[in-house]
Amino acid sequence: MSSETPQLPLILDPATLSRHLEDPHLLIIDVPLKVDSYPAGHVPGAIFLDSRRLLAGYGEVPNDVPTEAALSTLFSELGLTPETHVVAYDDEGGGWAGRLLWTLELIGHRRYSYLNGGIHAWRADGHPLETISNTPTPSDYQAAYLNPALQIRREELIERLDDPQLAIWDARSAEEYRGTKGDNRKLGHIPGAVNFDWLDVMDKHNDLRLRDYAELITELEARGLTPDKEIVTHCQSHHRSGLTWLAAKALGYDNVRAYPGSWKEWGNRDDTPVEK
């Protein structure tokens, strides 16, 4: 057991995590889509996080970023400290885990990893499961938006729609992108945005791990999502695009931002242009 924070990669395979379970600086957070996933079996030592805590939860854009005060409360309850290395995972291939890691990056906490494939990969590889709930040791964490450029606001996005250095990655389904499906006042997509469904980022035949990096890069570049550009990713609520933000980061894209308002905001306003 080391007294130093472990040096773990951004994308963590189950076997590597299994060797670090006893590390005192590790905070493993299970942020599942299905609430019964955690009690049914989780990584030993993992803490449960209700994904709704990662959203503002009120106002016209309830999926927006929580206030700094709300994030301070949340991360203090979870026991986060500057020395903590967070390992996030979920039960759906990385959406909510990605949103959590994006939030950590937003507040300047860069010690984190994603358990590749989440609980599905952990189970499939035969690692032990735990069913008792774990209670974190609270801390006094003061969260602030130390990395505000990680998010793009609606106003800046509207201004920069013609910027050739900006590429918008719409992580929703093809039907939502084309405007044949959705429950917003306006259907369609942000002008110039390209569609690459978040489900196509994960490998359905390999326990929802990220797909082969070379294949992903080829498919993204074919859509104009190239590493030299500033990439903005979004979905309906910046839940699915939690994964696409994380995947782009894993692929070596240096300038990836997310639009937390996403289509929930864009598709319900009068002043936002829409393409179908």
Side-chain angles (χ1 to χ4, degrees):
M1 191 183 296
S2 168
S3 62
E4 295 182 0
T5 308
Q7 297 296 313
L8 297 174
L10 173 63
I11 306 300
L12 189 61
D13 63 86
T16 303
L17 176 58
S18 71
R19 294 194 295 270
H20 287 271
L21 290 181
E22 300 298 323
D23 197 301
H25 290 300
L26 214 59
L27 177 61
I28 306 171
I29 301 179
D30 185 336
V31 53
L33 179 68
K34 298 174 181 168
V35 288
D36 58 354
S37 170
Y38 179 81
H42 49 264
V43 174
I47 305 296
F48 171 78
L49 171 59
D50 183 338
S51 60
R52 291 173 295 185
R53 300 286 300 275
L54 299 172
L55 310 175
Y58 60 87
E60 286 184 10
V61 191
N63 49 283
D64 208 343
V65 181
T67 63
E68 292 176 331
L71 290 176
S72 296
T73 299
L74 171 62
F75 289 119
S76 293
E77 286 177 17
L78 291 173
L80 188 67
T81 72
E83 292 75 40
T84 305
H85 188 100
V86 174
V87 174
Y89 75 91
D90 55 40
D91 59 344
E92 50 155 5
W96 281 124
R99 173 78 187 230
L100 169 58
L101 298 181
W102 177 84
T103 304
L104 288 174
E105 181 79 23
L106 180 67
I107 62 172
H109 187 94
R110 293 194 165 95
R111 299 177 188 273
Y112 58 74
S113 301
Y114 167 58
L115 174 60
N116 198 9
I119 196 65
H120 296 285
W122 183 265
R123 282 178 189 271
D125 287 4
H127 294 292
L129 291 165
E130 185 178 61
T131 53
I132 58 161
S133 292
N134 294 300
T135 305
T137 303
S139 60
D140 181 16
Y141 195 91
Q142 297 304 311
Y145 305 144
L146 298 180
N147 191 7
L150 197 66
Q151 58 174 324
I152 190 166
R153 309 304 295 179
R154 178 190 80 251
E155 297 85 354
E156 182 188 348
L157 200 45
I158 289 174
E159 282 178 13
R160 297 185 59 196
L161 287 179
D162 295 325
D163 184 345
Q165 281 307 303
L166 186 77
I168 304 171
W169 177 353
D170 186 330
R172 298 176 301 159
S173 67
E175 293 80 9
E176 290 167 280
Y177 176 81
R178 290 196 299 262
T180 58
K181 178 183 170 186
D183 59 358
N184 305 79
R185 283 203 286 131
K186 298 191 292 193
L187 302 182
H189 57 265
I190 297 173
V194 296
N195 183 220
F196 190 47
D197 192 325
W198 78 303
L199 294 175
D200 293 330
V201 173
M202 58 184 92
D203 190 340
K204 300 169 191 67
H205 306 293
N206 193 22
D207 308 305
L208 305 188
R209 290 171 171 87
L210 293 175
R211 282 178 52 210
D212 178 80
Y213 284 14
E215 286 181 16
L216 283 175
I217 289 173
T218 299
E219 292 183 28
L220 291 173
E221 291 191 346
R223 290 164 169 80
L225 297 170
T226 52
D228 58 309
K229 290 182 179 167
E230 184 178 329
I231 307 292
V232 167
T233 188
H234 79 88
C235 55
Q236 170 71 15
S237 62
H238 188 32
H239 156 220
R240 290 173 281 181
S241 54
L243 173 64
T244 52
W245 170 81
L246 177 67
K249 195 171 169 60
L251 293 172
Y253 284 66
D254 292 329
N255 197 356
V256 196
R257 306 170 72 185
Y259 170 34
S262 281
W263 198 257
K264 180 82 171 172
E265 178 180 41
W266 196 275
N268 286 316
R269 294 183 60 90
D270 297 325
D271 59 352
T272 45
V274 169
E275 274 181 355
K276 282 196 176 183

